[in-house]
């Protein structure tokens, strides 16, 4: 039960932080805790759930995130018996390879909402 409590706390803290960072720094925001804690829509918990699912799919495909991203860079996702050879997986992984670009743009502009928008759109 202690593990569940720690997970719930981490999800809650992440939800509040993401709820703040997803908006541009110059915008006025009306924060809603109820909205921030939802597991659907443009929320931190939704992104956390999506990330957990993505890692689970990679695991089922027999790849680490680093291996999958390298395969995309190399243009080869044909690992024997891998689900990652499907067209939808290829599209998803190509989107993930844009992550470093989103990080660079975020740092250059000193604007966390750029990264948040990339994560929501990916």
């Amino acid at each position: 039960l202690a593990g569940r409590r720690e997970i719930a706390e981490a999800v809650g803290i992440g939800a509040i932080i993401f709820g703040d960072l997803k908006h541009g720094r110059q915008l006025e925001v009306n924060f809603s805790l109820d909205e921030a804690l939802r597991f659907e829509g443009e929320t931190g918990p939704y992104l956390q759930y999506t990330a957990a699912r993505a890692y689970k799919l990679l695991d089922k495909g027999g790849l680490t995130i680093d291996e999958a991203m390298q395969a995309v860079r190399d243009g080869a996702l044909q690992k024997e018996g891998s689900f990652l050879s499907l067209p939808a997986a290829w599209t998803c992984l190509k989107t993930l390879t844009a992550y470093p670009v989103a990080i660079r743009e975020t740092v250059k502009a000193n604007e966390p909402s750029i990264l948040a928008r990339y994560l929501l759109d990916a």
Side-chain angles (χ1 to χ4, degrees):
L1 208 60
R4 287 183 181 184
R5 184 176 189 83
E6 291 168 356
I7 291 169
E9 184 176 328
V11 169
I13 290 169
I16 292 168
I17 292 171
F18 185 80
D20 185 38
L21 295 181
K22 75 176 180 178
H23 301 288
R25 293 179 297 129
Q26 305 301 323
L27 299 177
E28 186 175 316
V29 176
N30 292 324
F31 181 80
S32 165
L33 184 59
D34 289 336
E35 182 179 319
L37 292 174
R38 292 186 338 195
F39 277 89
E40 60 274 330
E42 297 186 343
T43 67
Y46 173 76
L47 285 178
Q48 290 170 328
Y49 172 76
T50 302
R53 289 288 302 134
Y55 276 101
K56 184 69 170 174
L57 290 171
L58 284 173
D59 187 49
K60 282 186 175 186
L63 294 173
T64 66
I65 187 71
D66 292 332
E67 290 170 333
M69 290 182 75
Q70 185 61 49
V72 170
R73 286 190 289 273
D74 295 345
L77 276 178
Q78 301 301 324
K79 184 172 179 180
E80 186 74 26
S82 173
F83 295 107
L84 296 173
S85 61
L86 299 173
W90 176 255
T91 301
C92 180
L93 289 172
K94 280 176 50 177
T95 301
L96 290 175
T97 60
Y99 179 73
V101 174
I103 293 289
R104 282 193 294 277
E105 290 176 6
T106 298
V107 171
K108 183 178 178 182
N110 194 27
E111 181 58 71
S113 66
I114 294 172
L115 180 59
R117 183 54 40 202
Y118 162 79
L119 294 170
L120 291 169
D121 293 343

